[in-house]
């Protein structure tokens, strides 16, 4: 009896402490100093590994309508089609076999779930045509150390462009070359060696594939460079530019790969992901690189061309594909916008724990929408369809809370608030909440509130955004639920609301 009373007392004190303090969020009515540049409406995009491309895209005779519907849903919310990068380690192991009848053949042997050998047939490339409005980045194989490596890369580029046509955003050459030394290249392989190879491949693709193309594509400056993942072996943005990566003017964009963690023993959902300080640390490291690139060539953009929660992508069920990871993703995407990273290509995979959806039947389970997609939907609505959107991160000096002010044509249009405090229904205390007062202009008379809610940080079902859930239904993306948007009045120049632990809200300000 004493123990039960103590538990109740502790739960009451925790709840009182969490709800008792009012946090005031003050954002300038007009665009403040330090706000982001205009956000690319396709900011939250995708990266599909070559060995899973056929799952996500299908082919001409069997398109994946489920994936098509998800891409179209994001387009409806932002007015932009997500960019899709097709590449990865499996692309750097891919060989084109023009006589192969099947789309793709994978070796049984794998490394962390990635096949050691990949053979592509012509049917593989039909998948691009199932997304006629999608901008694509396609990676050719650079890791190949055989004598016909360049010929294979040129053949891949030709096959890709014949189906992508005018929707080609860029070619990539190789994947994570900072991991080449001691693997597919000698141990003493340097950045200068990589740059020399990269430039020779770019020259050849420009001259033999892009030159004179009938799709209106730039035949020279159409390459996404670097794709580094770690600062290993002396590989860095600064060294690549010093060694002449853009000496010939081929570089359109620079991509880094970023994962919040691996599978280290210390990785936890709350501390490693649902933690705003961790998010800012992971992304602010690229500010120096962006400044350096701009000093070389202000027309080159910087993006995270392959990114998600962890680079292991298997056996991380405690952090992958759960509701807390969707809240992490919102904070991750919004903070990335605020520091002017151009775009995130969120890597997906049929077997990857952090995937936003499973595109085909797997392990006896039907295709499905998974928790992380909800984070992307919230980020898409935060951007919206207005042509000029900018973001300002609001510093709450808290690990467990994050907030952003979002501007349309320089005027405060909405707030986004994420309560990253991890709560689960299995705990013995009531779900806490945090009270907020959001400062608004005198022109604002009311606010519409949409909430991303779930049963708890570790749940992977029962999630709704604005009252709706999405899932696979008869081969398509289906929606269930009922709109539960709240309307709050402005009181004394502020909108007052509570945000539960493990919840996110968008507060849309209604101008008079």
């Amino acid at each position: 009896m004493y123990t039960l009373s103590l538990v109740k007392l502790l739960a009451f004190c925790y709840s009182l402490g969490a709800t008792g303090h009012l946090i005031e969020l003050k954002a300038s009515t007009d665009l403040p100093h330090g706000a982001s540049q205009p956000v690319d409406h396709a900011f939250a995009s995708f990266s599909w590994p070559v060995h899973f491309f056929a799952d996500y895209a299908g082919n001409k005779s069997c398109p994946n309508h489920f994936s098509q519907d998800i891409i179209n849903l994001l387009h409806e919310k932002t007015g932009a089609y997500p960019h899709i990068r097709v590449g990865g380690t499996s692309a750097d192991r891919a060989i084109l076999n023009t006589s192969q009848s099947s789309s793709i053949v994978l070796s049984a042997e794998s490394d962390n779930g990635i096949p050691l050998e990949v053979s592509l047939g012509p049917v593989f490339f039909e998948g691009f045509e199932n997304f006629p409005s999608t901008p694509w980045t396609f990676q050719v194989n650079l890791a190949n150390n055989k004598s016909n490596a360049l010929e294979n890369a040129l053949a891949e580029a030709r096959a890709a462009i014949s189906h992508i046509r005018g929707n080609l955003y860029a070619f990539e050459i190789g994947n994570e070359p900072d991991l080449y030394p001691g693997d597919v290249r000698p141990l003493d392989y340097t950045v200068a060696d990589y740059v020399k190879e990269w430039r020779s491949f770019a020259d050849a693709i420009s001259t033999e594939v892009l030159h004179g193309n009938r799709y209106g594509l730039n035949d020279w400056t159409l390459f996404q460079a670097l794709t580094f993942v770690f600062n290993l072996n002396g590989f860095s943005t600064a060294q690549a530019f010093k060694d002449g990566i853009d000496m010939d003017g081929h570089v359109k964009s620079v991509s880094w790969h970023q994962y919040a963690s691996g599978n280290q023993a210390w990785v936890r959902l709350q501390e490693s992901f649902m933690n705003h300080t961790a998010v800012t640390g992971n992304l602010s490291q690229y500010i120096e690189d962006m400044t350096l690139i701009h000093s070389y060539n202000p027309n080159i953009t910087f993006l995270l061309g392959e990114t998600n929660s962890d680079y292991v992508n298997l056996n991380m069920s405690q952090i992958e594909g759960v509701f807390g990871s969707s809240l992490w993703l919102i904070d991750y995407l919004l903070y990335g916008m605020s520091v002017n990273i151009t775009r995130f290509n969120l890597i997906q995979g049929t077997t990857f724990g952090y995937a936003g959806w499973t595109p085909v039947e797997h392990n006896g389970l039907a295709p499905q929408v998974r928790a992380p997609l909800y984070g992307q939907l919230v980020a898409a609505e935060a951007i919206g369809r207005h042509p000029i959107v900018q973001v300002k991160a609001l510093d709450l000096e808290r690990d467990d809370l994050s907030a952003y002010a979002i501007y349309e044509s320089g005027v405060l249009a909405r707030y986004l608030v994420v309560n990253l405090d991890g709560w689960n229904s299995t705990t013995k205390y009531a779900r806490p909440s945090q009270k907020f007062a959001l400062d608004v202009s005198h022109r604002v008379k009311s606010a519409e509130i949409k909430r991303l809610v779930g049963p708890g940080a570790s749940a992977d079902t029962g999630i709704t955004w604005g009252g709706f859930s999405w899932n696979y239904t008869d081969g398509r993306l289906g929606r269930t639920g009922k709109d539960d948007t709240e309307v709050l009045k402005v009181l004394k120049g502020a909108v007052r609301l509570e945000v539960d632990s493990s919840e996110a809200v968008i507060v849309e300000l209604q101008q008079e």
Side-chain angles (χ1 to χ4, degrees), residues 81-197:
Y81 285 95
H83 287 235
I84 302 178
R85 174 252 188 179
V86 177
T89 301
S90 56
D92 240 5
R93 296 171 179 171
I95 302 297
L96 178 60
N97 180 354
T98 56
S99 63
Q100 180 176 300
S101 60
S102 57
S103 171
I104 187 168
V105 176
L106 308 175
S107 66
E109 300 83 12
S110 67
D111 174 21
N112 199 29
I114 302 170
L116 298 181
E117 295 180 359
V118 179
S119 179
L120 306 179
V123 175
F124 173 90
F125 298 90
E126 294 178 2
F128 291 107
E129 299 189 38
N130 293 330
F131 303 85
S133 300
T134 294
W136 298 93
T137 295
F138 182 77
Q139 179 210 321
V140 300
N141 184 343
L142 180 67
N144 186 355
N145 52 22
K146 296 182 172 61
S147 60
N148 64 344
L150 178 57
E151 287 75 10
N152 179 72
L154 290 170
E156 291 177 338
R158 289 190 190 97
I161 199 172
S162 69
H163 292 273
I164 298 173
R165 305 184 182 96
N167 289 332
L168 181 65
Y169 171 81
F171 279 122
E172 280 186 347
I173 302 168
N175 181 73
E176 299 173 0
D178 49 332
L179 302 182
Y180 285 6
D183 183 14
V184 295
R185 295 293 188 275
L187 193 58
D188 60 355
Y189 185 77
T190 65
V191 182
D193 295 326
Y194 157 70
V195 167
K196 183 179 178 180
E197 287 190 80

Side-chain angles (χ1 to χ4, degrees), residues 56-372:
Y56 279 90
N59 56 44
K60 188 180 297 184
S61 63
C62 189
N64 190 310
H65 296 302
F66 185 41
S67 292
Q68 288 174 328
D69 291 346
I70 289 171
I71 298 300
N72 288 334
L73 175 62
L74 292 166
H75 168 257
E76 289 170 13
K77 294 186 178 298
T78 67
Y81 285 95
H83 287 235
I84 302 178
R85 174 252 188 179
V86 177
T89 301
S90 56
D92 240 5
R93 296 171 179 171
I95 302 297
L96 178 60
N97 180 354
T98 56
S99 63
Q100 180 176 300
S101 60
S102 57
S103 171
I104 187 168
V105 176
L106 308 175
S107 66
E109 300 83 12
S110 67
D111 174 21
N112 199 29
I114 302 170
L116 298 181
E117 295 180 359
V118 179
S119 179
L120 306 179
V123 175
F124 173 90
F125 298 90
E126 294 178 2
F128 291 107
E129 299 189 38
N130 293 330
F131 303 85
S133 300
T134 294
W136 298 93
T137 295
F138 182 77
Q139 179 210 321
V140 300
N141 184 343
L142 180 67
N144 186 355
N145 52 22
K146 296 182 172 61
S147 60
N148 64 344
L150 178 57
E151 287 75 10
N152 179 72
L154 290 170
E156 291 177 338
R158 289 190 190 97
I161 199 172
S162 69
H163 292 273
I164 298 173
R165 305 184 182 96
N167 289 332
L168 181 65
Y169 171 81
F171 279 122
E172 280 186 347
I173 302 168
N175 181 73
E176 299 173 0
D178 49 332
L179 302 182
Y180 285 6
D183 183 14
V184 295
R185 295 293 188 275
L187 193 58
D188 60 355
Y189 185 77
T190 65
V191 182
D193 295 326
Y194 157 70
V195 167
K196 183 179 178 180
E197 287 190 80
W198 190 93
R199 288 174 56 205
S200 68
F201 273 55
D203 281 346
I205 294 171
S206 289
T207 303
E208 300 186 36
V209 178
L210 290 170
H211 181 68
N213 73 83
R214 60 181 185 275
Y215 310 120
L217 297 169
N218 187 307
D219 64 4
W220 197 255
T221 308
L222 202 73
F223 294 88
Q224 188 156 283
L226 273 58
T227 69
F228 300 165
V229 67
F230 299 118
N231 283 307
L232 295 177
N233 305 305
F235 281 71
S236 67
T237 300
Q239 192 61 49
F241 275 84
K242 183 178 179 180
D243 287 336
I245 191 76
D246 194 38
M247 182 181 298
D248 308 304
H250 284 304
V251 180
K252 179 179 183 179
S253 53
V254 164
S255 166
W256 269 77
H257 296 175
Q258 212 283 326
Y259 293 89
S261 80
N263 62 345
Q264 297 89 343
W266 47 262
V267 173
R268 297 290 185 275
L269 181 61
Q270 181 75 77
E271 290 79 6
S272 306
F273 295 94
M274 296 177 67
N275 183 315
H276 183 64
T277 302
V279 168
T280 60
N282 277 324
L283 296 178
S284 59
Q285 64 178 307
Y286 299 109
I287 294 173
E288 183 177 346
D289 281 20
M290 289 188 283
T291 301
L292 181 144
I293 292 166
H294 191 267
S295 70
Y296 273 95
N297 185 342
N299 295 318
I300 296 174
T301 58
F302 179 91
L303 54 94
L304 297 183
E306 180 184 311
T307 185
N308 217 303
S309 59
D310 68 278
Y311 55 80
V312 177
N313 67 49
L314 295 170
N315 303 317
M316 297 283 286
S317 59
Q318 74 274 21
I319 61 168
E320 294 180 338
V322 295
F323 183 55
S325 66
S326 67
L327 298 170
W328 161 78
L329 186 57
I330 296 168
D331 196 25
Y332 189 64
L333 292 170
L334 267 290
Y335 190 75
M337 294 178 203
S338 77
V339 295
N340 296 317
I341 297 173
T342 300
R343 187 171 66 251
F344 284 21
N345 289 88
L346 298 166
I347 188 165
Q348 308 294 299
T350 306
T351 64
F352 291 176
Y354 47 64
W357 73 102
T358 307
V360 294
E361 182 179 337
H362 177 65
N363 283 345
L365 298 175
Q368 60 176 315
V369 167
R370 304 183 71 247

